[in-house]
Amino acid sequence: MLGNTSMKSAVDKWMASDSHKQNILSSKYKNIGVGVVKSEKYGYVIVAMFTG
């Protein structure tokens, strides 16, 4: 499975990635949009967009 089994799994993977973690913790972003789709093949597919 290439996706995530849970929301926690996705956040754990993001925080384990230096580039994702930098974006999440950056004060330059003021807004975040998150999309979540449940897929039988991939588990949860989650996309996040950060804007200033």
Side-chain angles (χ1 to χ4, degrees):
M1 181 181 298
L2 298 175
N4 299 284
T5 56
S6 68
M7 301 299 142
K8 181 174 181 344
S9 169
V11 173
D12 288 346
K13 289 177 184 176
W14 287 341
M15 294 306 282
S17 160
D18 288 337
S19 60
H20 285 89
K21 185 175 182 175
Q22 285 176 346
N23 285 336
I24 291 168
L25 298 177
S26 175
S27 63
K28 73 180 180 180
Y29 298 114
K30 304 299 179 206
N31 303 292
I32 182 173
V34 178
V36 179
V37 174
K38 174 106 175 167
S39 164
E40 287 185 29
K41 184 174 182 178
Y42 298 109
Y44 291 97
V45 179
I46 305 162
V47 177
M49 176 181 271
F50 299 85
T51 64

mmCIF file of all heavy atoms in Angstrom:
data_model
loop_
_atom_site.group_PDB
_atom_site.id
_atom_site.type_symbol
_atom_site.label_atom_id
_atom_site.label_comp_id
_atom_site.label_asym_id
_atom_site.label_seq_id
_atom_site.Cartn_x
_atom_site.Cartn_y
_atom_site.Cartn_z
ATOM 1 N N MET A 1 0.852 -1.178 0.000
ATOM 2 C CA MET A 1 0.000 0.000 0.000
ATOM 3 C C MET A 1 0.897 1.241 0.000
ATOM 4 O O MET A 1 1.813 1.353 0.796
ATOM 5 C CB MET A 1 -0.914 -0.015 1.228
ATOM 6 C CG MET A 1 -1.850 1.161 1.274
ATOM 7 S SD MET A 1 -2.935 1.187 2.726
ATOM 8 C CE MET A 1 -3.857 -0.287 2.499
ATOM 9 N N LEU A 2 0.612 2.174 -0.877
ATOM 10 C CA LEU A 2 1.420 3.379 -0.990
ATOM 11 C C LEU A 2 0.868 4.547 -0.189
ATOM 12 O O LEU A 2 1.556 5.519 0.039
ATOM 13 C CB LEU A 2 1.534 3.794 -2.461
ATOM 14 C CG LEU A 2 2.217 2.782 -3.364
ATOM 15 C CD1 LEU A 2 2.149 3.252 -4.806
ATOM 16 C CD2 LEU A 2 3.647 2.550 -2.944
ATOM 17 N N GLY A 3 -0.375 4.466 0.230
ATOM 18 C CA GLY A 3 -0.989 5.551 0.987
ATOM 19 C C GLY A 3 -0.753 5.385 2.472
ATOM 20 O O GLY A 3 0.304 4.931 2.907
ATOM 21 N N ASN A 4 -1.761 5.726 3.249
ATOM 22 C CA ASN A 4 -1.650 5.686 4.705
ATOM 23 C C ASN A 4 -2.819 4.913 5.299
ATOM 24 O O ASN A 4 -3.934 5.002 4.812
ATOM 25 C CB ASN A 4 -1.662 7.114 5.252
ATOM 26 C CG ASN A 4 -0.504 7.901 4.728
ATOM 27 O OD1 ASN A 4 0.614 7.733 5.170
ATOM 28 N ND2 ASN A 4 -0.749 8.752 3.740
ATOM 29 N N THR A 5 -2.554 4.189 6.363
ATOM 30 C CA THR A 5 -3.602 3.417 7.019
ATOM 31 C C THR A 5 -4.440 4.281 7.956
ATOM 32 O O THR A 5 -5.519 3.877 8.369
ATOM 33 C CB THR A 5 -3.000 2.245 7.805
ATOM 34 O OG1 THR A 5 -2.045 2.754 8.727
ATOM 35 C CG2 THR A 5 -2.329 1.255 6.863
ATOM 36 N N SER A 6 -3.927 5.484 8.306
ATOM 37 C CA SER A 6 -4.652 6.381 9.209
ATOM 38 C C SER A 6 -4.143 7.809 9.025
ATOM 39 O O SER A 6 -3.087 8.031 8.416
ATOM 40 C CB SER A 6 -4.442 5.963 10.668
ATOM 41 O OG SER A 6 -3.093 6.186 11.045
ATOM 42 N N MET A 7 -4.857 8.767 9.570
ATOM 43 C CA MET A 7 -4.406 10.161 9.537
ATOM 44 C C MET A 7 -3.104 10.307 10.334
ATOM 45 O O MET A 7 -2.187 11.020 9.936
ATOM 46 C CB MET A 7 -5.462 11.108 10.123
ATOM 47 C CG MET A 7 -6.787 11.076 9.416
ATOM 48 S SD MET A 7 -6.612 11.551 7.710
ATOM 49 C CE MET A 7 -7.777 10.433 6.992
ATOM 50 N N LYS A 8 -3.014 9.628 11.456
ATOM 51 C CA LYS A 8 -1.804 9.681 12.280
ATOM 52 C C LYS A 8 -0.601 9.176 11.493
ATOM 53 O O LYS A 8 0.488 9.758 11.567
ATOM 54 C CB LYS A 8 -1.977 8.877 13.565
ATOM 55 C CG LYS A 8 -0.740 8.946 14.455
ATOM 56 C CD LYS A 8 -0.943 8.279 15.776
ATOM 57 C CE LYS A 8 0.223 8.318 16.703
ATOM 58 N NZ LYS A 8 1.532 8.656 16.224
ATOM 59 N N SER A 9 -0.797 8.118 10.729
ATOM 60 C CA SER A 9 0.281 7.583 9.902
ATOM 61 C C SER A 9 0.785 8.638 8.919
ATOM 62 O O SER A 9 1.998 8.798 8.726
ATOM 63 C CB SER A 9 -0.221 6.346 9.145
ATOM 64 O OG SER A 9 0.700 5.946 8.158
ATOM 65 N N ALA A 10 -0.123 9.377 8.304
ATOM 66 C CA ALA A 10 0.260 10.421 7.353
ATOM 67 C C ALA A 10 1.064 11.518 8.044
ATOM 68 O O ALA A 10 2.126 11.923 7.557
ATOM 69 C CB ALA A 10 -0.976 11.006 6.688
ATOM 70 N N VAL A 11 0.582 11.997 9.177
ATOM 71 C CA VAL A 11 1.276 13.065 9.898
ATOM 72 C C VAL A 11 2.640 12.576 10.386
ATOM 73 O O VAL A 11 3.632 13.305 10.286
ATOM 74 C CB VAL A 11 0.420 13.599 11.066
ATOM 75 C CG1 VAL A 11 1.203 14.577 11.921
ATOM 76 C CG2 VAL A 11 -0.843 14.258 10.530
ATOM 77 N N ASP A 12 2.710 11.346 10.866
ATOM 78 C CA ASP A 12 3.996 10.789 11.304
ATOM 79 C C ASP A 12 4.999 10.774 10.150
ATOM 80 O O ASP A 12 6.169 11.120 10.321
ATOM 81 C CB ASP A 12 3.822 9.382 11.861
ATOM 82 C CG ASP A 12 3.130 9.351 13.206
ATOM 83 O OD1 ASP A 12 3.000 10.418 13.860
ATOM 84 O OD2 ASP A 12 2.696 8.240 13.618
ATOM 85 N N LYS A 13 4.541 10.391 8.951
ATOM 86 C CA LYS A 13 5.426 10.364 7.781
ATOM 87 C C LYS A 13 5.847 11.775 7.388
ATOM 88 O O LYS A 13 7.002 12.012 7.029
ATOM 89 C CB LYS A 13 4.739 9.667 6.609
ATOM 90 C CG LYS A 13 4.606 8.173 6.804
ATOM 91 C CD LYS A 13 3.855 7.539 5.657
ATOM 92 C CE LYS A 13 3.626 6.062 5.903
ATOM 93 N NZ LYS A 13 2.812 5.447 4.838
ATOM 94 N N TRP A 14 4.917 12.723 7.423
ATOM 95 C CA TRP A 14 5.264 14.115 7.112
ATOM 96 C C TRP A 14 6.318 14.637 8.083
ATOM 97 O O TRP A 14 7.273 15.281 7.687
ATOM 98 C CB TRP A 14 4.040 15.018 7.163
ATOM 99 C CG TRP A 14 3.078 14.869 6.025
ATOM 100 C CD1 TRP A 14 3.322 14.305 4.799
ATOM 101 C CD2 TRP A 14 1.729 15.299 5.990
ATOM 102 N NE1 TRP A 14 2.206 14.364 4.023
ATOM 103 C CE2 TRP A 14 1.206 14.966 4.734
ATOM 104 C CE3 TRP A 14 0.896 15.931 6.914
ATOM 105 C CZ2 TRP A 14 -0.096 15.256 4.365
ATOM 106 C CZ3 TRP A 14 -0.399 16.213 6.547
ATOM 107 C CH2 TRP A 14 -0.892 15.882 5.288
ATOM 108 N N MET A 15 6.124 14.373 9.360
ATOM 109 C CA MET A 15 7.052 14.898 10.370
ATOM 110 C C MET A 15 8.418 14.196 10.311
ATOM 111 O O MET A 15 9.414 14.740 10.773
ATOM 112 C CB MET A 15 6.441 14.795 11.762
ATOM 113 C CG MET A 15 5.215 15.677 11.951
ATOM 114 S SD MET A 15 5.485 17.408 11.539
ATOM 115 C CE MET A 15 6.358 17.939 12.997
ATOM 116 N N ALA A 16 8.473 13.009 9.739
ATOM 117 C CA ALA A 16 9.742 12.298 9.571
ATOM 118 C C ALA A 16 10.515 12.786 8.343
ATOM 119 O O ALA A 16 11.694 12.470 8.182
ATOM 120 C CB ALA A 16 9.492 10.790 9.467
ATOM 121 N N SER A 17 9.866 13.569 7.494
ATOM 122 C CA SER A 17 10.496 14.120 6.287
ATOM 123 C C SER A 17 10.949 15.550 6.579
ATOM 124 O O SER A 17 10.135 16.405 6.943
ATOM 125 C CB SER A 17 9.476 14.122 5.148
ATOM 126 O OG SER A 17 9.858 15.022 4.130
ATOM 127 N N ASP A 18 12.239 15.822 6.410
ATOM 128 C CA ASP A 18 12.753 17.161 6.718
ATOM 129 C C ASP A 18 12.023 18.257 5.958
ATOM 130 O O ASP A 18 11.638 19.272 6.536
ATOM 131 C CB ASP A 18 14.254 17.244 6.436
ATOM 132 C CG ASP A 18 15.097 16.482 7.446
ATOM 133 O OD1 ASP A 18 14.604 16.255 8.574
ATOM 134 O OD2 ASP A 18 16.230 16.117 7.100
ATOM 135 N N SER A 19 11.799 18.066 4.655
ATOM 136 C CA SER A 19 11.158 19.124 3.863
ATOM 137 C C SER A 19 9.696 19.320 4.250
ATOM 138 O O SER A 19 9.214 20.459 4.341
ATOM 139 C CB SER A 19 11.285 18.837 2.365
ATOM 140 O OG SER A 19 10.674 17.609 2.035
ATOM 141 N N HIS A 20 8.973 18.247 4.493
ATOM 142 C CA HIS A 20 7.579 18.377 4.918
ATOM 143 C C HIS A 20 7.495 19.029 6.303
ATOM 144 O O HIS A 20 6.662 19.896 6.545
ATOM 145 C CB HIS A 20 6.887 17.008 4.951
ATOM 146 C CG HIS A 20 6.557 16.472 3.599
ATOM 147 N ND1 HIS A 20 7.436 15.702 2.887
ATOM 148 C CD2 HIS A 20 5.452 16.590 2.837
ATOM 149 C CE1 HIS A 20 6.892 15.365 1.740
ATOM 150 N NE2 HIS A 20 5.676 15.886 1.671
ATOM 151 N N LYS A 21 8.364 18.596 7.190
ATOM 152 C CA LYS A 21 8.359 19.141 8.551
ATOM 153 C C LYS A 21 8.654 20.636 8.542
ATOM 154 O O LYS A 21 8.009 21.412 9.253
ATOM 155 C CB LYS A 21 9.385 18.404 9.420
ATOM 156 C CG LYS A 21 9.365 18.805 10.873
ATOM 157 C CD LYS A 21 10.326 17.942 11.667
ATOM 158 C CE LYS A 21 10.292 18.291 13.131
ATOM 159 N NZ LYS A 21 11.133 17.393 13.929
ATOM 160 N N GLN A 22 9.618 21.069 7.708
ATOM 161 C CA GLN A 22 9.926 22.501 7.599
ATOM 162 C C GLN A 22 8.696 23.289 7.160
ATOM 163 O O GLN A 22 8.417 24.363 7.695
ATOM 164 C CB GLN A 22 11.070 22.731 6.617
ATOM 165 C CG GLN A 22 12.417 22.357 7.168
ATOM 166 C CD GLN A 22 13.524 22.517 6.134
ATOM 167 O OE1 GLN A 22 13.280 22.654 4.939
ATOM 168 N NE2 GLN A 22 14.757 22.475 6.601
ATOM 169 N N ASN A 23 7.971 22.781 6.165
ATOM 170 C CA ASN A 23 6.753 23.469 5.714
ATOM 171 C C ASN A 23 5.695 23.521 6.809
ATOM 172 O O ASN A 23 5.080 24.567 7.034
ATOM 173 C CB ASN A 23 6.173 22.784 4.472
ATOM 174 C CG ASN A 23 6.974 23.076 3.233
ATOM 175 O OD1 ASN A 23 7.675 24.068 3.136
ATOM 176 N ND2 ASN A 23 6.870 22.196 2.264
ATOM 177 N N ILE A 24 5.477 22.430 7.494
ATOM 178 C CA ILE A 24 4.447 22.368 8.537
ATOM 179 C C ILE A 24 4.755 23.346 9.665
ATOM 180 O O ILE A 24 3.858 24.016 10.184
ATOM 181 C CB ILE A 24 4.314 20.924 9.083
ATOM 182 C CG1 ILE A 24 3.705 20.018 8.003
ATOM 183 C CG2 ILE A 24 3.499 20.877 10.360
ATOM 184 C CD1 ILE A 24 3.787 18.536 8.309
ATOM 185 N N LEU A 25 6.019 23.446 10.047
ATOM 186 C CA LEU A 25 6.402 24.277 11.181
ATOM 187 C C LEU A 25 6.744 25.722 10.807
ATOM 188 O O LEU A 25 6.949 26.551 11.687
ATOM 189 C CB LEU A 25 7.589 23.638 11.915
ATOM 190 C CG LEU A 25 7.324 22.258 12.510
ATOM 191 C CD1 LEU A 25 8.592 21.709 13.151
ATOM 192 C CD2 LEU A 25 6.176 22.290 13.495
ATOM 193 N N SER A 26 6.769 26.038 9.513
ATOM 194 C CA SER A 26 7.149 27.371 9.059
ATOM 195 C C SER A 26 6.110 28.424 9.439
ATOM 196 O O SER A 26 4.906 28.217 9.284
ATOM 197 C CB SER A 26 7.329 27.383 7.541
ATOM 198 O OG SER A 26 7.576 28.691 7.090
ATOM 199 N N SER A 27 6.590 29.572 9.902
ATOM 200 C CA SER A 27 5.682 30.675 10.242
ATOM 201 C C SER A 27 5.325 31.523 9.019
ATOM 202 O O SER A 27 4.498 32.421 9.116
ATOM 203 C CB SER A 27 6.308 31.552 11.324
ATOM 204 O OG SER A 27 7.505 32.137 10.835
ATOM 205 N N LYS A 28 5.926 31.241 7.861
ATOM 206 C CA LYS A 28 5.622 32.031 6.666
ATOM 207 C C LYS A 28 4.275 31.654 6.050
ATOM 208 O O LYS A 28 3.724 32.406 5.269
ATOM 209 C CB LYS A 28 6.742 31.930 5.631
ATOM 210 C CG LYS A 28 6.848 30.616 4.903
ATOM 211 C CD LYS A 28 8.001 30.662 3.900
ATOM 212 C CE LYS A 28 8.117 29.342 3.156
ATOM 213 N NZ LYS A 28 9.206 29.371 2.185
ATOM 214 N N TYR A 29 3.744 30.511 6.415
ATOM 215 C CA TYR A 29 2.438 30.089 5.899
ATOM 216 C C TYR A 29 1.341 30.478 6.878
ATOM 217 O O TYR A 29 1.453 30.268 8.076
ATOM 218 C CB TYR A 29 2.411 28.577 5.651
ATOM 219 C CG TYR A 29 3.424 28.144 4.619
ATOM 220 C CD1 TYR A 29 4.488 27.333 4.970
ATOM 221 C CD2 TYR A 29 3.316 28.562 3.299
ATOM 222 C CE1 TYR A 29 5.424 26.944 4.029
ATOM 223 C CE2 TYR A 29 4.254 28.181 2.352
ATOM 224 C CZ TYR A 29 5.300 27.375 2.723
ATOM 225 O OH TYR A 29 6.222 26.994 1.797
ATOM 226 N N LYS A 30 0.283 31.053 6.366
ATOM 227 C CA LYS A 30 -0.837 31.517 7.203
ATOM 228 C C LYS A 30 -2.086 30.647 7.040
ATOM 229 O O LYS A 30 -2.997 30.716 7.846
ATOM 230 C CB LYS A 30 -1.194 32.963 6.863
ATOM 231 C CG LYS A 30 -0.027 33.922 6.980
ATOM 232 C CD LYS A 30 0.528 33.957 8.386
ATOM 233 C CE LYS A 30 1.713 34.908 8.467
ATOM 234 N NZ LYS A 30 2.640 34.586 9.506
ATOM 235 N N ASN A 31 -2.144 29.861 5.967
ATOM 236 C CA ASN A 31 -3.322 29.037 5.683
ATOM 237 C C ASN A 31 -2.880 27.652 5.236
ATOM 238 O O ASN A 31 -1.809 27.479 4.666
ATOM 239 C CB ASN A 31 -4.155 29.660 4.555
ATOM 240 C CG ASN A 31 -4.592 31.061 4.872
ATOM 241 O OD1 ASN A 31 -5.395 31.268 5.756
ATOM 242 N ND2 ASN A 31 -4.047 32.034 4.167
ATOM 243 N N ILE A 32 -3.734 26.681 5.499
ATOM 244 C CA ILE A 32 -3.491 25.325 5.025
ATOM 245 C C ILE A 32 -4.817 24.750 4.519
ATOM 246 O O ILE A 32 -5.876 24.975 5.113
ATOM 247 C CB ILE A 32 -2.892 24.412 6.129
ATOM 248 C CG1 ILE A 32 -2.606 23.021 5.575
ATOM 249 C CG2 ILE A 32 -3.776 24.354 7.343
ATOM 250 C CD1 ILE A 32 -1.869 22.086 6.524
ATOM 251 N N GLY A 33 -4.730 24.047 3.406
ATOM 252 C CA GLY A 33 -5.881 23.301 2.897
ATOM 253 C C GLY A 33 -5.501 21.835 2.871
ATOM 254 O O GLY A 33 -4.376 21.484 2.503
ATOM 255 N N VAL A 34 -6.407 20.977 3.285
ATOM 256 C CA VAL A 34 -6.120 19.544 3.347
ATOM 257 C C VAL A 34 -7.233 18.786 2.638
ATOM 258 O O VAL A 34 -8.414 19.029 2.885
ATOM 259 C CB VAL A 34 -6.001 19.055 4.811
ATOM 260 C CG1 VAL A 34 -5.743 17.559 4.855
ATOM 261 C CG2 VAL A 34 -4.916 19.811 5.553
ATOM 262 N N GLY A 35 -6.844 17.886 1.740
ATOM 263 C CA GLY A 35 -7.795 17.012 1.061
ATOM 264 C C GLY A 35 -7.518 15.577 1.439
ATOM 265 O O GLY A 35 -6.363 15.150 1.512
ATOM 266 N N VAL A 36 -8.577 14.826 1.691
ATOM 267 C CA VAL A 36 -8.442 13.419 2.105
ATOM 268 C C VAL A 36 -9.392 12.571 1.271
ATOM 269 O O VAL A 36 -10.577 12.893 1.146
ATOM 270 C CB VAL A 36 -8.786 13.240 3.600
ATOM 271 C CG1 VAL A 36 -8.653 11.775 4.003
ATOM 272 C CG2 VAL A 36 -7.927 14.129 4.474
ATOM 273 N N VAL A 37 -8.865 11.497 0.697
ATOM 274 C CA VAL A 37 -9.677 10.544 -0.057
ATOM 275 C C VAL A 37 -9.350 9.149 0.452
ATOM 276 O O VAL A 37 -8.182 8.792 0.593
ATOM 277 C CB VAL A 37 -9.375 10.621 -1.573
ATOM 278 C CG1 VAL A 37 -10.117 9.536 -2.327
ATOM 279 C CG2 VAL A 37 -9.721 11.984 -2.118
ATOM 280 N N LYS A 38 -10.380 8.380 0.735
ATOM 281 C CA LYS A 38 -10.187 6.981 1.154
ATOM 282 C C LYS A 38 -10.198 6.115 -0.102
ATOM 283 O O LYS A 38 -11.126 6.174 -0.895
ATOM 284 C CB LYS A 38 -11.311 6.559 2.105
ATOM 285 C CG LYS A 38 -11.272 5.106 2.472
ATOM 286 C CD LYS A 38 -10.786 4.878 3.858
ATOM 287 C CE LYS A 38 -10.936 3.407 4.109
ATOM 288 N NZ LYS A 38 -10.373 2.815 5.147
ATOM 289 N N SER A 39 -9.147 5.361 -0.286
ATOM 290 C CA SER A 39 -8.988 4.511 -1.460
ATOM 291 C C SER A 39 -8.832 3.062 -1.012
ATOM 292 O O SER A 39 -8.073 2.777 -0.086
ATOM 293 C CB SER A 39 -7.737 4.956 -2.234
ATOM 294 O OG SER A 39 -7.322 3.975 -3.150
ATOM 295 N N GLU A 40 -9.545 2.165 -1.662
ATOM 296 C CA GLU A 40 -9.393 0.746 -1.319
ATOM 297 C C GLU A 40 -7.978 0.261 -1.612
ATOM 298 O O GLU A 40 -7.439 -0.565 -0.888
ATOM 299 C CB GLU A 40 -10.407 -0.093 -2.083
ATOM 300 C CG GLU A 40 -11.819 0.064 -1.578
ATOM 301 C CD GLU A 40 -12.787 -0.869 -2.278
ATOM 302 O OE1 GLU A 40 -12.363 -1.961 -2.725
ATOM 303 O OE2 GLU A 40 -13.966 -0.509 -2.372
ATOM 304 N N LYS A 41 -7.370 0.801 -2.657
ATOM 305 C CA LYS A 41 -6.044 0.357 -3.062
ATOM 306 C C LYS A 41 -4.932 1.011 -2.241
ATOM 307 O O LYS A 41 -3.940 0.369 -1.909
ATOM 308 C CB LYS A 41 -5.825 0.657 -4.537
ATOM 309 C CG LYS A 41 -4.517 0.145 -5.090
ATOM 310 C CD LYS A 41 -4.427 0.355 -6.577
ATOM 311 C CE LYS A 41 -3.126 -0.201 -7.123
ATOM 312 N NZ LYS A 41 -3.033 -0.043 -8.576
ATOM 313 N N TYR A 42 -5.085 2.306 -1.901
ATOM 314 C CA TYR A 42 -3.994 3.055 -1.283
ATOM 315 C C TYR A 42 -4.240 3.472 0.166
ATOM 316 O O TYR A 42 -3.424 4.153 0.757
ATOM 317 C CB TYR A 42 -3.686 4.304 -2.107
ATOM 318 C CG TYR A 42 -3.216 3.988 -3.501
ATOM 319 C CD1 TYR A 42 -4.027 4.230 -4.592
ATOM 320 C CD2 TYR A 42 -1.962 3.422 -3.716
ATOM 321 C CE1 TYR A 42 -3.602 3.927 -5.876
ATOM 322 C CE2 TYR A 42 -1.530 3.112 -4.997
ATOM 323 C CZ TYR A 42 -2.361 3.370 -6.079
ATOM 324 O OH TYR A 42 -1.925 3.071 -7.334
ATOM 325 N N GLY A 43 -5.348 3.122 0.742
ATOM 326 C CA GLY A 43 -5.653 3.582 2.103
ATOM 327 C C GLY A 43 -6.126 5.021 2.031
ATOM 328 O O GLY A 43 -6.937 5.370 1.171
ATOM 329 N N TYR A 44 -5.620 5.888 2.886
ATOM 330 C CA TYR A 44 -5.957 7.303 2.822
ATOM 331 C C TYR A 44 -4.921 8.034 1.989
ATOM 332 O O TYR A 44 -3.726 7.920 2.243
ATOM 333 C CB TYR A 44 -5.989 7.928 4.227
ATOM 334 C CG TYR A 44 -7.126 7.434 5.071
ATOM 335 C CD1 TYR A 44 -6.944 6.410 5.976
ATOM 336 C CD2 TYR A 44 -8.388 8.002 4.955
ATOM 337 C CE1 TYR A 44 -7.990 5.940 6.754
ATOM 338 C CE2 TYR A 44 -9.441 7.543 5.724
ATOM 339 C CZ TYR A 44 -9.235 6.520 6.624
ATOM 340 O OH TYR A 44 -10.277 6.063 7.388
ATOM 341 N N VAL A 45 -5.396 8.777 1.002
ATOM 342 C CA VAL A 45 -4.526 9.623 0.197
ATOM 343 C C VAL A 45 -4.783 11.045 0.675
ATOM 344 O O VAL A 45 -5.924 11.525 0.652
ATOM 345 C CB VAL A 45 -4.817 9.472 -1.308
ATOM 346 C CG1 VAL A 45 -3.919 10.384 -2.116
ATOM 347 C CG2 VAL A 45 -4.638 8.013 -1.733
ATOM 348 N N ILE A 46 -3.736 11.719 1.153
ATOM 349 C CA ILE A 46 -3.890 13.021 1.800
ATOM 350 C C ILE A 46 -2.977 14.031 1.123
ATOM 351 O O ILE A 46 -1.798 13.768 0.905
ATOM 352 C CB ILE A 46 -3.555 12.919 3.298
ATOM 353 C CG1 ILE A 46 -4.410 11.842 3.941
ATOM 354 C CG2 ILE A 46 -3.757 14.266 3.987
ATOM 355 C CD1 ILE A 46 -3.908 11.353 5.260
ATOM 356 N N VAL A 47 -3.553 15.189 0.790
ATOM 357 C CA VAL A 47 -2.804 16.268 0.157
ATOM 358 C C VAL A 47 -2.957 17.518 1.014
ATOM 359 O O VAL A 47 -4.058 17.823 1.473
ATOM 360 C CB VAL A 47 -3.342 16.552 -1.267
ATOM 361 C CG1 VAL A 47 -2.621 17.709 -1.899
ATOM 362 C CG2 VAL A 47 -3.251 15.307 -2.129
ATOM 363 N N ALA A 48 -1.864 18.243 1.219
ATOM 364 C CA ALA A 48 -1.909 19.490 1.974
ATOM 365 C C ALA A 48 -1.320 20.610 1.127
ATOM 366 O O ALA A 48 -0.318 20.417 0.442
ATOM 367 C CB ALA A 48 -1.141 19.361 3.278
ATOM 368 N N MET A 49 -1.961 21.785 1.177
ATOM 369 C CA MET A 49 -1.456 22.971 0.472
ATOM 370 C C MET A 49 -1.282 24.091 1.485
ATOM 371 O O MET A 49 -2.196 24.392 2.247
ATOM 372 C CB MET A 49 -2.434 23.406 -0.613
ATOM 373 C CG MET A 49 -2.025 24.668 -1.324
ATOM 374 S SD MET A 49 -3.210 25.173 -2.565
ATOM 375 C CE MET A 49 -2.573 24.272 -3.942
ATOM 376 N N PHE A 50 -0.101 24.686 1.484
ATOM 377 C CA PHE A 50 0.226 25.773 2.393
ATOM 378 C C PHE A 50 0.308 27.066 1.595
ATOM 379 O O PHE A 50 0.922 27.107 0.544
ATOM 380 C CB PHE A 50 1.584 25.513 3.065
ATOM 381 C CG PHE A 50 1.617 24.262 3.894
ATOM 382 C CD1 PHE A 50 1.888 23.037 3.331
ATOM 383 C CD2 PHE A 50 1.370 24.330 5.248
ATOM 384 C CE1 PHE A 50 1.922 21.890 4.097
ATOM 385 C CE2 PHE A 50 1.400 23.193 6.039
ATOM 386 C CZ PHE A 50 1.679 21.966 5.455
ATOM 387 N N THR A 51 -0.326 28.146 2.110
ATOM 388 C CA THR A 51 -0.258 29.443 1.455
ATOM 389 C C THR A 51 0.088 30.537 2.468
ATOM 390 O O THR A 51 -0.170 30.390 3.648
ATOM 391 C CB THR A 51 -1.571 29.804 0.746
ATOM 392 O OG1 THR A 51 -2.612 29.928 1.707
ATOM 393 C CG2 THR A 51 -1.954 28.751 -0.287
ATOM 394 N N GLY A 52 0.661 31.614 1.966
ATOM 395 C CA GLY A 52 1.095 32.714 2.823
ATOM 396 C C GLY A 52 0.084 33.772 3.047
ATOM 397 O O GLY A 52 -1.018 33.825 2.753
#
